[in-house]
Amino acid sequence: MRSYITHLECTYCGAQHKHSEVMKTCPECNKVLYARYDLEGAKASMTKEALKDREWNLWRYFEIMPVTDPAYAFTLGEGGTPLLEAPKLASRFGFERLLVKDEGLNPTGSFKVRGLGAAVSRAAELGVDTVAMPSAGNAAAAMAAYARRAGLRGIVAMPQDTPSVMKDECRIYGATVLLVDGLIDDCGTLIKRGAGSAGWFDCSTLKEPYRQEGKKTMGIEIAEQLGWRVPDALIYPTGGGTGLVGIWKAFDELEQMGLIGSKRPKMIVVQAENCAPIVRAFNAGARHAERWENAHTVASGLRVPAAIADYLILDAVRESGGTAITVSDDEMLHGMELLARTEGIFASPEVGSVVVAAQKLRESGVLKESDETVLVSTASGLMHTELVQGDSPVLNKNEPNPARFVPTPERRSQP
Ligand SMILES: Cc1ncc(COP(=O)(O)O)c(C=O)c1O
């Protein structure tokens, strides 16, 4: 197995750059760089047949991943997450088939390990010794874990109100945690300064070329799990948009390798009502999104006021015939509860947003009953127990009839 990476290409001005050097954004125009591959070569080796014997981790698709020396393909067993049927939600919302890609089962509890697993591994291969990034929480934990795995120093900057479980998780991996009185982009400014003065390698969303390579494995897995085809719609909780653009890139590469056809799912962006720069730009017909002032939402992963990949996200949504919608924080929490109560999947508030979006899009007729729809469930709810706390009866061990305190499903609020 070998990687067929050939070069890096700017997604904006088209300039080509060497992949053998440490790169950030395009030196010519400062936009997002993509890894490009010899897909003809990759096609001959990454066949459906060959994949049958491979492990389900990030490096399953080694031919179209950026690490060239397998010794640097660090893994914690990420990926290979289930594409679960959600029959109760499907019938409740009026879909024939609704699926949940459950990324909460990844190491550290979120899809972020895919991107950071790829970026940190490649950084280690290129000789970097310190990786750093701003994060709303999940990405920081993922970076810290892979930095440890790869033997690199990790530095994360987080808004100070990030859930403490995420800060603690980073610390236990040995990362340096810097807390910032501000939003994620303020954290980004701090990391940029450290990168300039101390030579830290900045792993910020799409400010280095490889996180999206890891994220694209979600798209490859979805296609493979569906028997090498894509669904009709894919609903994605969008912050910086790495996952959405990564999945979109995956489908292009798979088509060029003859593994899927030209059909694409409608790519659907969901954002929080009080932080929706991409939805606003989509509705305005713009290709770039203005910064969203005073962003706030319980879903820290969606609290991204400005995305460097705005044009890539908006292009994917438009080319796919998709759409972009917002949901409120209350709706997200309701969506979280609904997913847990109906399907037994405890996911994060970001995921609550896609659950509610699926319902709204079905009710408005934007999605049809026959549209096979995938909800990307980006993270576990276990880091967010503060959002779902409730009371349970405390019984004396001699309680004569404990059964009377056990609420039956009928007595609880119905999903
Ligand atoms: C749970 C969760 N969902 C979604 C997102 C947004 O992801 P993306 O940057 O790919 O838009 C994040 C980002 O932090 C997240 O943590």
Side-chain angles (χ1 to χ4, degrees), residues 111-112 138 215 236-243 301 348 350 378-379:
F111 73 136
K112 294 280 179 183
N138 285 322
K215 291 279 187 77
Y236 188 84
T238 307
T242 343
S348 70
E350 292 82 358
T378 44

Side-chain angles (χ1 to χ4, degrees), residues 109-112 135-139 166 184 205 211 215 218 236-245 300-302 304 313 348-351 376-380 384:
S110 90
F111 73 136
K112 294 280 179 183
S135 166
N138 285 322
M166 293 174 178
I184 180 101
T205 303
R211 274 175 72 181
K215 291 279 187 77
M218 280 190 290
Y236 188 84
T238 307
T242 343
L244 185 131
V245 302
S300 53
L302 302 188
V304 183
I313 304 168
S348 70
E350 292 82 358
V351 180
V376 184
S377 181
T378 44
S380 161
H384 302 278

Side-chain angles (χ1 to χ4, degrees), residues 14 21 35 41 72 97 110 162 164 189 205 237 255 274-275 306 322 384 395 403 411:
E21 286 167 15
Y72 289 93
R97 195 176 191 207
S110 90
T162 301
S164 52
T189 308
T205 303
E255 183 184 354
N274 293 314
C275 183
H384 302 278
L395 306 189
R411 282 168 57 197

Side-chain angles (χ1 to χ4, degrees), residues 190-207:
L190 195 94
I191 292 293
K192 201 169 162 191
R193 229 177 294 140
S197 59
W200 304 341
F201 181 68
D202 185 349
C203 289
S204 298
T205 303
L206 294 152
K207 291 192 179 156

Side-chain angles (χ1 to χ4, degrees), residues 392-405:
S392 296
V394 179
L395 306 189
N396 179 301
K397 65 179 180 193
N398 299 321
E399 166 60 44
N401 182 13
R404 79 196 160 96
F405 293 100

